[in-house]
Amino acid sequence: MAEAKELLSPEEALRALDESEYSEDEFNEMMSLYEGTMDSIEQGEIVPGTVLDILEGVVVVDIGFKSEGTIPVAEFGDPPTIEIGDEVEVFLESVEDQEGQVVLSKQKADFMRVWDRIKDAQDADQIVEGRLVRRIKGGIVVDLFGVDAFLPGSQIDIKQVKNFDQFIGQVFPFRIIKLNKNRRNIVVSRRVVLEEERGRLRKQILETLEVGQVRTGQVKNITDFGAFIDLGGLDGLLHITDIVWGRVGHPSEVLSIGDEVEVKVLNYDEERERISLGMKQLTDHPWENIEEKYPVDQRVMGKVVSITDYGAFVELEQGVEGLVHISEMSWTQHIRHPSKLVSINDEVEVMVLKVDKDEQKISLGLKQIQPDPWLSLDEKYPPGTRMVGKVRNLTNFGAFVEIEEGIDGLVHISDMSWTKRIRHPNEIVTKGQEVDVVVLNIDKDRRRISLGHKQTIENPWAELAITYAVGNTTQGKVFRLLERGVVAELDGDVEGFVPASQLGIADLSRPEDYFSEGDTIPLKVVEFDEEQKKIVLSVREYLRDVEEAEAAEFIAAHPLRELVGDSEGGSDDEASAEDGAEADGEPSVEAEAEAADDPSAEAEAAEDADASEAETVEARDDSEDAESEAASEDPVPVAEAEAEDTEADASAKPETELAEEKALDS
């Protein structure tokens, strides 16, 4: 029985007594054993226990008391590492709660067990290691010697951390910065450890740092003007211009935060502790032996990296760029802006035109990749070639006609009509119109083509010589009023000149006083000059050969118009006009009256009046040169010039054009 007593637990002994298997003495002995167990358990202490069961959310633990205690599963770790039958140490908070159960805690037991160790580490300012377990509000829970410690978000790293989850599961060294035993509160910091290490490395770097050193660092931060490199406790600035030899729009195109890079110390301000770093200085300068790498007339491939108003920059290799000037982009087109032909990042083939190593400049050509069409243009379009072209632009002196894509020729106003005297090309053609032209001349050196429109039809002056022989009569329509007479439009799309003295009105000094544009008047040919393309007409000679009634009817149909202002002012104006005419060597009204009976004198007067026309025709080439040069300097292509270009030209006419207009007026 004694052996049985030793084998039975207090609970078993009580059950046995209930079953009346023991005597009263045995019962008292068993109760004394049970009371002994009660005396050995005190609240506020760590006691051993055995896991009896694991239920949903709780673990049942037997500590040898009259009832078991329960502990939340979460106190056994995440995930929990506990099994039925495991021996564990728990903290007895209370021997009995409101429900008569024992109140136990695994976490408090763990805290009490390692408290001395944690306290000693704080007192000695020691570094302790912990594993980051889970994220909570404001920071991360750290497993420190088996107990939970709190790592605030501001103490995770030296720099601000936005993503806490990246650290979960990692083991780091910490400093204990705060302890509270009663509240079981432990606060740790990783930042303090990093700052201490950073300070140690900083001191070491400052002692050994020299200009010209090559060091390895980590990209810490990136800005628009460069990147900050952590050399291990000390930051240096890698400026955007020192990253690579070539062009960089933003440092992020080459670097990323966290990259390990090798840099060279360019400058060190010891007083301000500022370090300038460079990456490109670790490689050879790309302009060394540049003439050998890119000889003149060599074709190379490159990438368009920048576009300006005057051209495009093409990168041939990292750190080597060349300029394709806008004038070197097309043989035939007047480029308004380089973006019309190329775009950023385009891969283009170019030709090396010039290399200047000292200035680090390379001139490139885009048009030189293609043959120059002007070199064979005279073979393709020899003089006399007829074709249809499109009017691309109008100027005061002629019209530019496109004969093939990008190649324009000039039709001068003197080559637009056999019979009409053209003041402006818009009297014959309009912009965008397709017209027949003939090649008159090609100047390859000056890149100019002279075209003719009137040459597409036969010269009508041989037939007109018959129709308008001297002495023939006809009718004409007043086309233009001049001081010395009128220009009359005749059948056959030809014009003739009627001097004021031959208009059939006595004492006529101002044709506009008696005639209006559009009036139909009878005429007689008094001179026909086929070579000078000139017809002189007379109303007076016509009226001499008709009945008096018809002459009177004509005079009655053209009465003197009412003049503006007093008669004396008008007389002064007329006298001034006459004086001016005489001063210019032109026949006055009196001179014309004296010559009224001499038709040949009238012809000579008309011939003098048109003398400047021949000079204008001779000066045509000069005007073409001046205008073409102006056009070549203008980056606006002829094909894209707007109508206002014509108005701008009219406001600044060259002297040759003024001479032409004066000749036409005469």
Side-chain angles (χ1 to χ4, degrees), residues 410-417 440 450-455 620 624:
L410 173 65
V411 180
H412 196 268
I413 54 175
S414 63
D415 290 315
M416 288 188 171
S417 174
L440 303 180
S450 295
L451 303 174
H453 174 60
K454 71 181 183 181
Q455 288 81 359
R620 181 187 65 187
E624 290 180 21

PDB file of all heavy atoms in Angstrom, residues 410-417 440 450-455 620 624:
ATOM      1  N   LEU A 410      12.162  79.420-112.081  1.00  0.00           N
ATOM      2  CA  LEU A 410      11.528  80.735-112.061  1.00  0.00           C
ATOM      3  C   LEU A 410      11.018  81.112-113.449  1.00  0.00           C
ATOM      4  O   LEU A 410      11.762  81.081-114.429  1.00  0.00           O
ATOM      5  CB  LEU A 410      12.523  81.793-111.588  1.00  0.00           C
ATOM      6  CG  LEU A 410      12.027  83.242-111.672  1.00  0.00           C
ATOM      7  CD1 LEU A 410      10.855  83.483-110.732  1.00  0.00           C
ATOM      8  CD2 LEU A 410      13.166  84.222-111.375  1.00  0.00           C
ATOM      9  N   VAL A 411       9.734  81.458-113.511  1.00  0.00           N
ATOM     10  CA  VAL A 411       9.146  82.055-114.713  1.00  0.00           C
ATOM     11  C   VAL A 411       9.067  83.554-114.459  1.00  0.00           C
ATOM     12  O   VAL A 411       8.241  84.020-113.673  1.00  0.00           O
ATOM     13  CB  VAL A 411       7.742  81.480-115.007  1.00  0.00           C
ATOM     14  CG1 VAL A 411       7.180  82.126-116.266  1.00  0.00           C
ATOM     15  CG2 VAL A 411       7.796  79.973-115.160  1.00  0.00           C
ATOM     16  N   HIS A 412       9.968  84.314-115.115  1.00  0.00           N
ATOM     17  CA  HIS A 412       9.974  85.759-114.924  1.00  0.00           C
ATOM     18  C   HIS A 412       8.748  86.371-115.594  1.00  0.00           C
ATOM     19  O   HIS A 412       8.191  85.809-116.551  1.00  0.00           O
ATOM     20  CB  HIS A 412      11.259  86.357-115.521  1.00  0.00           C
ATOM     21  CG  HIS A 412      11.524  87.745-115.058  1.00  0.00           C
ATOM     22  ND1 HIS A 412      11.066  88.848-115.753  1.00  0.00           N
ATOM     23  CD2 HIS A 412      12.183  88.219-113.975  1.00  0.00           C
ATOM     24  CE1 HIS A 412      11.442  89.938-115.116  1.00  0.00           C
ATOM     25  NE2 HIS A 412      12.124  89.594-114.035  1.00  0.00           N
ATOM     26  N   ILE A 413       8.299  87.532-115.079  1.00  0.00           N
ATOM     27  CA  ILE A 413       7.090  88.155-115.630  1.00  0.00           C
ATOM     28  C   ILE A 413       7.258  88.486-117.109  1.00  0.00           C
ATOM     29  O   ILE A 413       6.285  88.520-117.861  1.00  0.00           O
ATOM     30  CB  ILE A 413       6.706  89.420-114.836  1.00  0.00           C
ATOM     31  CG1 ILE A 413       7.870  90.397-114.742  1.00  0.00           C
ATOM     32  CG2 ILE A 413       6.221  89.061-113.441  1.00  0.00           C
ATOM     33  CD1 ILE A 413       7.512  91.708-114.076  1.00  0.00           C
ATOM     34  N   SER A 414       8.500  88.716-117.531  1.00  0.00           N
ATOM     35  CA  SER A 414       8.720  89.016-118.952  1.00  0.00           C
ATOM     36  C   SER A 414       8.578  87.780-119.839  1.00  0.00           C
ATOM     37  O   SER A 414       8.500  87.903-121.060  1.00  0.00           O
ATOM     38  CB  SER A 414      10.106  89.633-119.138  1.00  0.00           C
ATOM     39  OG  SER A 414      11.116  88.712-118.749  1.00  0.00           O
ATOM     40  N   ASP A 415       8.550  86.601-119.232  1.00  0.00           N
ATOM     41  CA  ASP A 415       8.396  85.358-119.982  1.00  0.00           C
ATOM     42  C   ASP A 415       7.035  84.723-119.769  1.00  0.00           C
ATOM     43  O   ASP A 415       6.865  83.527-119.981  1.00  0.00           O
ATOM     44  CB  ASP A 415       9.496  84.360-119.573  1.00  0.00           C
ATOM     45  CG  ASP A 415      10.859  84.789-120.062  1.00  0.00           C
ATOM     46  OD1 ASP A 415      10.948  85.195-121.230  1.00  0.00           O
ATOM     47  OD2 ASP A 415      11.825  84.725-119.272  1.00  0.00           O
ATOM     48  N   MET A 416       6.063  85.546-119.373  1.00  0.00           N
ATOM     49  CA  MET A 416       4.731  85.011-119.124  1.00  0.00           C
ATOM     50  C   MET A 416       3.776  85.247-120.290  1.00  0.00           C
ATOM     51  O   MET A 416       2.837  84.482-120.479  1.00  0.00           O
ATOM     52  CB  MET A 416       4.147  85.613-117.836  1.00  0.00           C
ATOM     53  CG  MET A 416       4.805  85.088-116.577  1.00  0.00           C
ATOM     54  SD  MET A 416       3.959  85.639-115.089  1.00  0.00           S
ATOM     55  CE  MET A 416       4.788  84.633-113.855  1.00  0.00           C
ATOM     56  N   SER A 417       3.973  86.311-121.030  1.00  0.00           N
ATOM     57  CA  SER A 417       3.048  86.610-122.126  1.00  0.00           C
ATOM     58  C   SER A 417       3.801  87.307-123.257  1.00  0.00           C
ATOM     59  O   SER A 417       4.682  88.146-123.019  1.00  0.00           O
ATOM     60  CB  SER A 417       1.894  87.496-121.630  1.00  0.00           C
ATOM     61  OG  SER A 417       1.069  87.896-122.704  1.00  0.00           O
ATOM     62  N   LEU A 440      14.401  77.301-120.205  1.00  0.00           N
ATOM     63  CA  LEU A 440      15.188  78.273-120.955  1.00  0.00           C
ATOM     64  C   LEU A 440      16.679  78.151-120.647  1.00  0.00           C
ATOM     65  O   LEU A 440      17.514  78.232-121.539  1.00  0.00           O
ATOM     66  CB  LEU A 440      14.718  79.695-120.628  1.00  0.00           C
ATOM     67  CG  LEU A 440      13.227  79.995-120.874  1.00  0.00           C
ATOM     68  CD1 LEU A 440      12.925  81.441-120.510  1.00  0.00           C
ATOM     69  CD2 LEU A 440      12.847  79.704-122.316  1.00  0.00           C
ATOM     70  N   SER A 450      15.785  78.776-115.213  1.00  0.00           N
ATOM     71  CA  SER A 450      14.931  79.788-115.834  1.00  0.00           C
ATOM     72  C   SER A 450      13.913  79.077-116.715  1.00  0.00           C
ATOM     73  O   SER A 450      14.273  78.264-117.574  1.00  0.00           O
ATOM     74  CB  SER A 450      15.762  80.760-116.679  1.00  0.00           C
ATOM     75  OG  SER A 450      16.637  81.501-115.862  1.00  0.00           O
ATOM     76  N   LEU A 451      12.641  79.395-116.502  1.00  0.00           N
ATOM     77  CA  LEU A 451      11.548  78.784-117.257  1.00  0.00           C
ATOM     78  C   LEU A 451      10.787  79.865-118.009  1.00  0.00           C
ATOM     79  O   LEU A 451      10.810  81.047-117.642  1.00  0.00           O
ATOM     80  CB  LEU A 451      10.596  78.032-116.314  1.00  0.00           C
ATOM     81  CG  LEU A 451      11.206  76.933-115.436  1.00  0.00           C
ATOM     82  CD1 LEU A 451      10.155  76.399-114.477  1.00  0.00           C
ATOM     83  CD2 LEU A 451      11.757  75.799-116.290  1.00  0.00           C
ATOM     84  N   GLY A 452      10.104  79.450-119.046  1.00  0.00           N
ATOM     85  CA  GLY A 452       9.249  80.367-119.789  1.00  0.00           C
ATOM     86  C   GLY A 452       7.871  79.783-119.982  1.00  0.00           C
ATOM     87  O   GLY A 452       7.725  78.578-120.229  1.00  0.00           O
ATOM     88  N   HIS A 453       6.889  80.638-119.833  1.00  0.00           N
ATOM     89  CA  HIS A 453       5.509  80.197-120.067  1.00  0.00           C
ATOM     90  C   HIS A 453       5.033  80.608-121.460  1.00  0.00           C
ATOM     91  O   HIS A 453       4.371  79.832-122.157  1.00  0.00           O
ATOM     92  CB  HIS A 453       4.583  80.785-119.001  1.00  0.00           C
ATOM     93  CG  HIS A 453       3.126  80.499-119.232  1.00  0.00           C
ATOM     94  ND1 HIS A 453       2.617  79.225-119.301  1.00  0.00           N
ATOM     95  CD2 HIS A 453       2.066  81.338-119.440  1.00  0.00           C
ATOM     96  CE1 HIS A 453       1.324  79.277-119.527  1.00  0.00           C
ATOM     97  NE2 HIS A 453       0.957  80.556-119.622  1.00  0.00           N
ATOM     98  N   LYS A 454       5.409  81.811-121.898  1.00  0.00           N
ATOM     99  CA  LYS A 454       4.955  82.281-123.203  1.00  0.00           C
ATOM    100  C   LYS A 454       5.586  81.463-124.334  1.00  0.00           C
ATOM    101  O   LYS A 454       5.029  81.363-125.430  1.00  0.00           O
ATOM    102  CB  LYS A 454       5.268  83.766-123.367  1.00  0.00           C
ATOM    103  CG  LYS A 454       6.760  84.098-123.540  1.00  0.00           C
ATOM    104  CD  LYS A 454       6.975  85.592-123.658  1.00  0.00           C
ATOM    105  CE  LYS A 454       8.444  85.931-123.910  1.00  0.00           C
ATOM    106  NZ  LYS A 454       8.669  87.385-124.010  1.00  0.00           N
ATOM    107  N   GLN A 455       6.743  80.855-124.049  1.00  0.00           N
ATOM    108  CA  GLN A 455       7.434  80.085-125.079  1.00  0.00           C
ATOM    109  C   GLN A 455       6.717  78.781-125.425  1.00  0.00           C
ATOM    110  O   GLN A 455       7.100  78.081-126.359  1.00  0.00           O
ATOM    111  CB  GLN A 455       8.870  79.778-124.639  1.00  0.00           C
ATOM    112  CG  GLN A 455       9.803  80.984-124.646  1.00  0.00           C
ATOM    113  CD  GLN A 455       9.664  81.842-123.410  1.00  0.00           C
ATOM    114  OE1 GLN A 455       8.842  81.556-122.542  1.00  0.00           O
ATOM    115  NE2 GLN A 455      10.454  82.904-123.329  1.00  0.00           N
ATOM    116  N   ARG A 620      16.576  91.888-115.972  1.00  0.00           N
ATOM    117  CA  ARG A 620      15.798  90.807-115.364  1.00  0.00           C
ATOM    118  C   ARG A 620      16.677  89.800-114.624  1.00  0.00           C
ATOM    119  O   ARG A 620      16.372  89.360-113.519  1.00  0.00           O
ATOM    120  CB  ARG A 620      14.999  90.075-116.441  1.00  0.00           C
ATOM    121  CG  ARG A 620      14.141  88.928-115.884  1.00  0.00           C
ATOM    122  CD  ARG A 620      13.512  88.127-116.991  1.00  0.00           C
ATOM    123  NE  ARG A 620      14.558  87.463-117.752  1.00  0.00           N
ATOM    124  CZ  ARG A 620      14.328  86.784-118.879  1.00  0.00           C
ATOM    125  NH1 ARG A 620      13.110  86.745-119.376  1.00  0.00           N
ATOM    126  NH2 ARG A 620      15.320  86.180-119.502  1.00  0.00           N
ATOM    127  N   GLU A 624      16.492  88.577-110.813  1.00  0.00           N
ATOM    128  CA  GLU A 624      16.325  87.166-110.446  1.00  0.00           C
ATOM    129  C   GLU A 624      17.390  86.749-109.449  1.00  0.00           C
ATOM    130  O   GLU A 624      17.126  86.045-108.475  1.00  0.00           O
ATOM    131  CB  GLU A 624      16.406  86.286-111.695  1.00  0.00           C
ATOM    132  CG  GLU A 624      15.219  86.412-112.636  1.00  0.00           C
ATOM    133  CD  GLU A 624      15.389  85.499-113.835  1.00  0.00           C
ATOM    134  OE1 GLU A 624      16.158  84.548-113.726  1.00  0.00           O
ATOM    135  OE2 GLU A 624      14.757  85.764-114.862  1.00  0.00           O
TER     136      GLU A 624
END
